[in-house]
Amino acid sequence: MIIQYQGSQMGKATTFTLKIIGNNLSKSSSNYQIELLVGDKKIPTMTSEIHQSLSNCLKEIYLFRKHNGIVFDESTEVIAPKLVPYDLILYKYQKHALFRL
């Protein structure tokens, strides 16, 4: 799943891209990998690149954003059309983790 936001980093306007890759290990478990791109450059964000839940991925991005002065404009969200419907439902349910106050 690919999600893009307009926003700023330390006051400089830019585009952010989240790439969330779900890998089903078995019928009872899965894991998620996440990448954050600023413009077209991947930045090292994670303490761990593999998470056991999408919620943990989003919390990790939130903490990274908060620490590095990154602001996403939630109204500019663009979700790539090709994705697994279950991932979209799960993301929409848990995306509040990205925008905590």
Side-chain angles (χ1 to χ4, degrees):
M1 173 176 7
I2 298 174
I3 303 131
Q4 288 188 327
Y5 291 100
Q6 298 297 316
S8 63
Q9 182 175 18
M10 303 294 188
K12 182 180 175 187
T14 191
T15 301
F16 298 93
T17 304
L18 293 174
K19 290 185 179 181
I20 301 170
I21 304 154
N23 298 311
N24 291 324
L25 298 175
S26 69
K27 291 183 179 184
S28 63
S29 69
S30 62
N31 64 39
Y32 291 87
Q33 293 175 277
I34 192 160
E35 296 177 359
L36 176 62
L37 287 83
V38 177
D40 61 351
K41 296 180 182 178
K42 180 181 172 188
I43 56 175
T45 58
M46 314 313 154
T47 54
S48 171
E49 289 191 8
I50 299 175
H51 298 278
Q52 291 183 341
S53 72
L54 182 57
S55 177
N56 287 346
C57 285
L58 299 178
K59 287 175 189 174
E60 182 92 19
I61 290 291
Y62 167 77
L63 293 172
F64 181 82
R65 287 179 45 227
K66 184 176 177 181
H67 181 72
N68 290 285
I70 295 173
V71 177
F72 289 169
D73 180 354
E74 188 174 1
S75 67
T76 63
E77 177 181 84
V78 176
I79 299 174
K82 294 182 180 181
L83 55 95
V84 177
Y86 175 76
D87 286 344
L88 177 60
I89 291 167
L90 192 59
Y91 173 74
K92 287 190 176 202
Y93 178 75
Q94 296 182 354
K95 82 175 183 177
H96 68 279
L98 281 174
F99 299 100
R100 296 177 183 190
L101 297 177

